[in-house]
Amino acid sequence: DTAVSQTPKYLVTQMGNDKSIKCEQNLGHDTMYWYKQDSKKFLKIMFSYNNKELIINETVPNRFSPKSPDKAHLNLHINSLELGDSAVYFCASSLEGIGADPIRSQYFGPGTRLLVL
Amino acid sequence: GQNIDQPTEMTATEGAIVQINCTYQTSGFNGLFWYQQHAGEAPTFLSYNVLDGLEEKGRFSSFLSRSKGYSYLLLKELQMKDSASYLCAVRRADSWGKLQFGAGTQVVVTP
């Protein structure tokens, strides 16, 4: 059973294009995240949604627009792709609200490897 | 802000013990996590500390000292499959679920 899934797994595209990455979780979690992991393997949070509401918005170019149609889905749309956007993008989820255990660990999806040429 | 420091790489032989240190500076500390990430894969949760002391889970143990802003992950009886990157992450009390990650420590286990 897949807990956190992302599509596509690989994405190769030209500079200037617009692309989307989709994420779904079946864990019943109320909070979802997008992280970017660069070539130096540094994992940095970009956005977080709780029950479809944006709660974390780090300093990310406005070319990146997250959308959460429901609490089980968090998509990431990127406009006008640039070379520096090449990275692995991880979706994650956790249960933060009512019913959460004290640990509230985050579960990560398999990642989307984006290469901008 | 938060600064999280951990060594870049460590090498150890199969069967040995390795200790990965992590130091952090943060306001409103609300827990420290260790994640394991194999090459090309997603990070997976290993351990969590919010109170001072040692948490043991099989071959892996994690220690926390809040007053020193210090944690370590101890890997015992190293196996080849333990070769991976180990990420230290801190959660703040004033941020809903947000984790700040260190750059990760690449552990290489040799025969």
Side-chain angles (χ1 to χ4, degrees):
Chain A
D1 289 344
T2 303
V4 183
S5 59
Q6 294 179 228
T7 54
K9 189 168 183 180
Y10 298 96
L11 189 52
V12 181
T13 188
Q14 298 288 329
M15 222 167 38
N17 284 350
D18 304 337
K19 291 293 178 185
S20 292
I21 308 171
K22 296 186 176 182
C23 178
E24 176 181 1
Q25 55 93 6
N26 63 5
L27 297 166
H29 288 168
D30 58 4
T31 304
M32 297 183 72
Y33 312 81
W34 277 112
Y35 287 88
K36 178 181 181 180
Q37 189 169 47
D38 59 26
S39 56
K40 294 182 181 175
K41 307 303 180 188
F42 186 52
L43 194 63
K44 188 169 182 183
I45 190 162
M46 301 171 69
F47 301 102
S48 175
Y49 273 72
N50 172 254
N51 287 321
K52 303 192 296 176
E53 297 293 326
L54 180 67
I55 54 170
I56 295 174
N57 185 354
E58 294 294 288
T59 307
V60 176
N62 57 15
R63 298 183 294 105
F64 291 79
S65 52
K67 280 192 174 48
S68 182
D70 55 63
K71 70 176 188 178
H73 295 83
L74 180 61
N75 303 323
L76 183 66
H77 187 76
I78 315 171
N79 288 326
S80 304
L81 278 156
E82 300 178 357
L83 295 177
D85 297 333
S86 296
V88 182
Y89 292 84
F90 285 101
C91 176
S93 72
S94 66
L95 183 63
E96 300 290 325
I98 295 171
D101 64 60
I103 296 178
R104 293 178 280 142
S105 60
Q106 293 183 15
Y107 292 78
F108 284 79
T112 296
R113 285 138 193 88
L114 172 65
L115 178 60
V116 182
L117 302 175
Chain B
Q2 293 166 254
N3 294 316
I4 301 173
D5 293 310
Q6 49 183 131
T8 304
E9 186 171 314
M10 303 182 74
T11 301
T13 53
E14 210 172 357
I17 297 174
V18 70
Q19 176 174 315
I20 307 168
N21 296 324
C22 172
T23 57
Y24 64 89
Q25 295 173 313
T26 187
S27 52
F29 175 84
N30 191 25
L32 186 144
F33 294 79
W34 284 96
Y35 280 80
Q36 180 190 59
Q37 186 177 24
H38 285 101
E41 297 184 11
T44 55
F45 170 74
L46 278 183
S47 70
Y48 169 76
N49 296 71
V50 68
L51 300 176
D52 291 352
L54 188 68
E55 293 284 341
E56 297 189 82
K57 198 188 280 188
R59 295 187 298 113
F60 294 176
S61 304
S62 57
F63 171 83
L64 176 68
S65 168
R66 289 171 296 171
S67 62
K68 295 181 180 175
Y70 167 70
S71 173
Y72 69 70
L73 179 70
L74 195 69
L75 284 61
K76 293 179 275 192
E77 301 169 20
L78 278 172
Q79 301 176 9
M80 297 300 290
K81 67 178 182 178
D82 297 330
S83 291
S85 181
Y86 292 84
L87 309 173
C88 174
V90 171
R91 181 168 64 204
R92 282 173 50 170
D94 61 349
S95 62
W96 183 279
K98 176 181 172 181
L99 293 181
Q100 192 86 23
F101 280 86
T105 299
Q106 184 66 43
V107 170
V108 178
V109 181
T110 59

